[in-house]
Amino acid sequence: YAYTYVAIYGYSMVEAARETFELVRQVGLIPLMGNHLLQSVIMVGASLSGLLCVCTAGIFMASSTTLQELAPDYIWAIYMLCFLIGYIMTLPLLEIVQSVVCALFICFAREPDVLEKARPHLYKEILDGYEMMTGGLSFTDALQGRGGNDSSSEYEYEYEY
């Protein structure tokens, strides 16, 4: 999350770490748990991509007698290499999704009113999800009760659609 502060707001790493700590204090650890779940989904997605590459290699190996004759003792090594290639090639693409989720959370936690104006449907979904995860504690109550956002923005936003 600190890297997101550096990228979005231009903070130094020390300032970003302080802001991240303050954000965790304000909002709690529930969003971080969601990020952990997202990491699990990313790993499963990359693994499925690796398995797809293994299946593709298996189809090529089964359909080509030349390939079977060239490397009969190394078939499992070929399958492992194909799995690693699929896994490693997919992982950076899925990390983009994680970065987007992290940036959305940081921006939402700092300026929830901006998301409410720009994307009211997404704003409501996030609030409903937060209340469900915390057992009824609303996000705005969490921010106000822990010394968080006072709903005054230092930035001026304009929306054009």
Side-chain angles (χ1 to χ4, degrees):
Y1 288 98
Y3 287 123
T4 304
Y5 271 103
V6 171
I8 294 174
Y9 297 108
Y11 289 160
S12 71
M13 195 60 190
V14 173
E15 291 173 319
R18 283 188 192 124
E19 287 290 323
T20 302
F21 179 75
E22 190 62 33
L23 181 70
V24 170
R25 255 190 21 153
Q26 289 174 0
V27 180
L29 293 175
I30 297 295
L32 296 177
M33 290 170 44
N35 191 30
H36 184 67
L37 292 173
L38 181 62
Q39 284 250 326
S40 300
V41 171
I42 286 172
M43 291 299 139
V44 168
S47 297
L48 289 175
S49 176
L51 287 175
L52 180 66
C53 288
V54 168
C55 292
T56 304
I59 291 170
F60 278 121
M61 293 295 282
S63 66
S64 172
T65 56
T66 307
L67 287 175
Q68 290 175 0
E69 291 171 3
L70 286 177
D73 297 330
Y74 302 108
I75 288 178
W76 290 109
I78 292 170
Y79 289 154
M80 288 299 293
L81 182 64
C82 288
F83 177 82
L84 285 174
I85 289 171
Y87 185 86
I88 291 171
M89 293 293 288
T90 306
L91 205 54
L93 297 174
L94 294 176
E95 289 295 327
I96 293 171
V97 173
Q98 182 176 4
S99 297
V100 168
V101 169
C102 183
L104 178 65
F105 170 70
I106 295 287
C107 292
F108 176 72
R110 290 242 355 214
E111 299 289 336
D113 53 331
V114 174
L115 184 64
E116 183 179 22
K117 291 175 187 172
R119 305 268 191 258
H121 181 68
L122 179 60
Y123 176 81
K124 183 169 176 5
E125 283 184 31
I126 292 173
L127 286 183
D128 291 345
Y130 187 83
E131 289 177 14
M132 184 179 70
M133 294 277 297
T134 58
L137 177 66
S138 74
F139 188 79
T140 53
D141 290 344
L143 285 178
Q144 291 170 355
R146 295 185 180 142
N149 192 344
D150 62 356
S151 297
S152 64
S153 175
E154 61 184 271
Y155 305 103
E156 202 55 42
Y157 297 98
E158 294 198 19
Y159 303 101
E160 293 182 19
Y161 294 101

